[in-house]
Every structure is written in structure tokens, then in C-alpha cells.
Amino acid sequence: CKHVEMIKNGHHANEDQSGEAGCNKPGASACSPEKRKRVVRLWCDGCYDMVHYGHSNQLRQAKSMGDYLIVGVHTDAEISKHKGPPVFTQEERYKMVRAIKWVDEIVEGAPYVTTLETLDKYNCDSCVHGDDITLTVDGKDTYAEVKSAGRYRECKRTQGVSTTDLVGRMLLMTKAHHSNMENTDYQLHTDNFGKGATVHSPWTGVSQFLQTSQKIIQFASGKEPQPGDTIIYVAGAFDLFHIGHVDFLEMVYKQAERAYVIVGLHFDQEVNRYKGKNYPIMNIHERTLSVLACRVHVSPVEIMEMFNTGRVVILTFQVDLVCHGKTEVFPDKDGVDPYAEPRRRGIFRTIDSGNSLTTDDIVQRIIANRLQYEARNQKKEAKEMAVFEAMKRREHQQQQEAQQD
């Protein structure tokens, strides 16, 4: 009773990491010799708090528009001033953004308002942002200056996920049941969490994530194991993929001179069985994309119904080593140690990454600061709605003027 879907991770085979990939991308038109010589440098910036696949997808799209991607990450003080307290510290956020495989360079402490001075300082042609809106504490568009100068490019916002949404899901950890979108408690909470009962901002919302094969293909690419590689298998929920996971995978990769790391992701039902409450926070598809966006030498990702890392898994993938962190090992549904077989074979190893952060710790941060996060998101929603309504009024006025002409 096993379902396995193999998905590859890594940079696209046609990408040149020196930053000269622009003309070689699939579907790109032929470039002139001058174009091929010139590296297009792009700038993205943001809070990147609780980095999720929506952030990663924005950066993937931005990188596809040029050759070299620089990402500016705001400080805790800047975020607190304009939005409210971040969930992660700036050092945690810097490290997490560095781990996204489409990022070539990060700028720590980037200004909250994006200016032409910043683009020029880092020799960037344009700034890229999603088709949502980012506002200062005064309700002004943070990209107004680069937009008016024609140095702003837009990519599609990934629907169905936002930091606001994830914080809302985690606040439900105070409930003793597994929540879902139809649950009345969930609907009531989303209304209280910065979304009015009758009107919602188009940029801040809660919706189910629908997986598509296209999205998987966009995130995935890589290589097969080569002779001489040490195949290392790790398995888990990898929920709210965070720097604790990144540090663990980095340490796993160091276990062999030529490591080929395979990550097994447990289905939602399995995670809920051994974690309880309303875990996992992210569903299997969201967790898959989060892992795939990591540059930390993860090769295939397999979505597994089988919880037990037994003989079938070891033989199917020709596993040389099975690793687990210092977190608790939950028994399978029959009460058996899921690592009994690799222990028997002498290929099991416990890894100390030096980072004790867990998904539970993140949830506890949210719950401990619940009122602050609720206030933050209510304020964000109100500012967005004010801008949205102004845009609608302006559009209506333009339509009326056009009809009069």
C-alpha cells in the first residue's frame, strides 16, 4: 500500500550559474550577440517572514525574467514599523532566503521602500514584485518610485497561500480537532483574523491550494544518482519548511563525500495521526513545493503513503544510509519503530544539526503573540481595502469620463 511520486529538485539543466542563462531558457527568442554578453540583474525585496512556496514561486518567476537575482530582506525594526512584529528574526529570515535555489545574492537590511537609489546601488535593471500590493505605514505604495521610472516588472502572485493565512492556520492549534475550510470555527476565525465578514482584500485571503502538474514541473529539475554516490534517505512531515529543516538537510548532505539525498514526505493523514490537533499546517502539496524550492542538495522528493522506512523503501531506492534528526521518532500505526529495518542493517544515523527549531516552536511563537499578530493582520487588511476601494473609484470615474466623451 504505497504511492510514490518522484519529483526532482535542483537548478534547470539549461541554467548557467554564472548568470548568463537568459538566452538559453526554453521558449526564449533568439538573442543578439550584444544581449548574450549582457547580464540582466533583477531585484526583489520583502519581509520573507515564514517563507513558503508563494515566496519561492515569486523568486522563481523573477529569476526567469533575467540572469542574476538579488533579494533584499527587511530588518525586524522596519517590518515592525510598517506591518507589525515578524514571526522570525531577521537572521533566521536572511538564512531562509539564502536557501531558496533561485536566489543568487541577498542584501541584509534592505529598505522597506524600494527606490531607484537602491536599484542603482546594486546595479539592477528592474525590480520584480507580485501582482498584489505592499504599503508603508502611511498607506503608500512601496514601489511607486520604481514604477514611475519604468523599472518595475510584475509576476503573478501564487494564490492560496500567504503569511497571513499560515498564521491563521497556526492560531487554530488551540483547537483540539483537525480543522478544515468548511468548519464553522475556521470560518469564524478567518473573519476575526483581519478579514471582514462581508468584504475581503483581494491580496490577503484564505483559500485551498490546488496542486497542478504544471506547478510541480516549474519547481522541479535535477539529476539521477551516479555510480559512487551515497544515497541517503530522510523522511518526515517537513511542515512549515524552515531553517531547522535547512540546517538538518545541510548536515545530512555532509554525511558522505558524494551524497545523493532523497526526502520522503508523509501524507497529511499520517502526519495528523502522529502529531494530532490540526497538523500538518501545510498540506502535502504545499509541503512538497516548499522542499523542492530548497537549494540544499535535495535530489528527488517522493510523496509516500508508507510511513515505515522498511525493506521496500531501502531496496527500491538502493539506500545506503537513513538519517533522522534529534526530534522524537513516532511509532507507525502498528506501534512499530519506523526505523527498525535500517537499524537492523546498521545504516541508521541520528543527525545533530545544531538547530533545535521545530514546527511546534513556530506555532508556540504565534500563540504566545496571538493578539499582536491578529492586530497586525487586521491593520494590513484595512490598508489594503482602502487602496482597493480607491482603485475601484478611480476606475469607475474613468469609465464615466470615457462614456461622456
Side-chain angles (χ1 to χ4, degrees):
C1 59
K2 181 178 77 167
H3 166 72
V4 177
E5 181 180 349
M6 297 299 293
I7 306 167
K8 309 273 183 68
N9 189 21
H11 285 286
H12 194 282
N14 288 331
E15 284 184 353
D16 178 352
Q17 293 312 297
S18 65
E20 307 231 353
C23 297
N24 298 320
K25 291 188 172 109
S29 58
C31 295
S32 65
E34 292 76 16
K35 173 68 176 176
R36 283 197 296 271
K37 291 176 184 176
R38 185 177 179 282
V39 175
V40 177
R41 292 165 64 90
L42 296 171
W43 171 272
C44 285
D45 56 27
C47 305
Y48 298 100
D49 194 22
M50 288 183 57
V51 171
H52 50 69
Y53 66 90
H55 293 123
S56 302
N57 198 30
Q58 180 225 358
L59 298 174
R60 178 194 64 78
Q61 292 180 79
K63 181 63 181 282
S64 73
M65 295 178 183
D67 306 308
Y68 193 83
L69 180 61
I70 302 176
V71 180
V73 185
H74 310 317
T75 63
D76 296 344
E78 279 283 89
I79 297 171
S80 295
K81 174 184 174 182
H82 293 281
K83 293 180 68 174
V87 178
F88 286 92
T89 68
Q90 59 198 41
E91 294 302 325
E92 290 171 327
R93 292 182 290 106
Y94 297 155
K95 187 170 189 176
M96 196 65 205
V97 174
R98 280 194 183 96
I100 298 174
K101 64 185 180 184
W102 296 284
V103 176
D104 295 300
E105 180 183 336
I106 84 155
V107 172
E108 299 180 358
Y112 198 82
V113 176
T114 309
T115 63
L116 294 175
E117 181 184 358
T118 298
L119 296 190
D120 291 340
K121 180 179 179 180
Y122 296 99
N123 195 26
C124 290
D125 299 83
S126 302
C127 167
V128 182
H129 187 65
D131 56 2
D132 53 342
I133 191 166
T134 304
L135 304 172
T136 67
V137 66
D138 301 320
K140 298 177 181 177
D141 184 352
T142 58
Y143 297 101
E145 183 175 318
V146 293
K147 284 179 179 178
S148 63
R151 292 174 67 181
Y152 177 86
R153 302 179 71 179
E154 199 164 83
C155 60
K156 288 291 182 184
R157 180 183 182 277
T158 305
Q159 296 299 317
V161 66
S162 68
T163 301
T164 305
D165 176 17
L166 293 177
V167 169
R169 298 187 204 181
M170 281 186 281
L171 288 174
L172 286 172
M173 296 304 295
T174 55
K175 306 294 182 181
H177 58 271
H178 190 81
S179 68
N180 57 62
M181 302 300 290
E182 289 73 37
N183 184 276
T184 54
D185 285 333
Y186 189 93
Q187 294 294 345
L188 177 62
H189 184 76
T190 58
D191 284 344
N192 292 334
F193 191 64
K195 304 172 186 62
T198 58
V199 62
H200 290 186
S201 161
W203 301 295
T204 303
V206 178
S207 61
Q208 288 282 28
F209 171 69
L210 299 177
Q211 181 61 32
T212 67
S213 58
Q214 182 183 17
K215 197 164 271 145
I216 286 289
I217 291 167
Q218 288 172 342
F219 269 63
S221 62
K223 62 183 182 65
E224 298 295 329
Q226 302 300 310
D229 287 352
T230 299
I231 298 177
I232 306 176
Y233 181 80
V234 299
F238 290 94
D239 196 13
L240 292 176
F241 193 78
H242 52 73
I243 57 169
H245 297 131
V246 171
D247 287 340
F248 168 69
L249 291 173
E250 283 182 345
M251 192 60 68
V252 167
Y253 188 77
K254 293 176 181 177
Q255 299 304 302
E257 186 176 342
R258 289 177 50 186
Y260 186 90
V261 181
I262 299 176
V263 176
L265 292 178
H266 300 145
F267 273 135
D268 298 339
Q269 298 92 322
E270 273 300 308
V271 178
N272 185 244
R273 178 189 64 78
Y274 64 79
K275 290 280 290 182
K277 297 182 181 178
N278 67 340
Y279 282 107
I281 306 299
M282 285 183 166
N283 67 40
I284 183 65
H285 304 303
E286 295 174 315
R287 293 184 282 119
T288 299
L289 293 180
S290 296
V291 175
L292 283 171
C294 180
R295 73 162 76 249
V296 189
H297 309 293
V298 180
S299 303
V301 174
E302 38 151 335
I303 303 174
M304 298 196 64
E305 184 178 50
M306 182 176 288
F307 179 75
N308 195 303
T309 305
R311 183 172 177 273
V312 174
V313 172
I314 293 170
L315 294 180
T316 299
F317 302 108
Q318 299 181 318
V319 175
D320 300 303
L321 182 65
V322 176
C323 294
H324 185 81
K326 297 194 76 176
T327 56
E328 181 181 358
V329 175
F330 295 98
D332 67 16
K333 57 188 176 185
D334 297 322
V336 177
D337 176 6
Y339 295 114
E341 182 64 16
R343 289 185 203 273
R344 187 186 68 79
R345 292 172 178 251
I347 61 170
F348 179 80
R349 190 174 298 173
T350 299
I351 302 298
D352 184 358
S353 68
N355 188 335
S356 61
L357 183 70
T358 66
T359 303
D360 292 332
D361 295 332
I362 297 169
V363 172
Q364 289 307 312
R365 290 187 189 185
I366 297 294
I367 293 174
N369 296 283
R370 175 173 185 151
L371 294 178
Q372 289 186 70
Y373 291 123
E374 286 181 338
R376 180 187 76 170
N377 286 296
Q378 287 167 357
K379 183 179 178 182
K380 178 175 183 285
E381 175 80 3
K383 286 197 298 183
E384 289 177 352
M385 283 308 307
V387 172
F388 182 56
E389 291 300 329
M391 289 170 61
K392 285 201 304 183
R393 287 194 299 270
R394 186 165 58 247
E395 183 180 352
H396 180 66
Q397 183 179 355
Q398 289 171 346
Q399 289 173 348
Q400 285 183 326
E401 290 173 354
Q403 289 172 357
Q404 291 173 359
D405 293 340

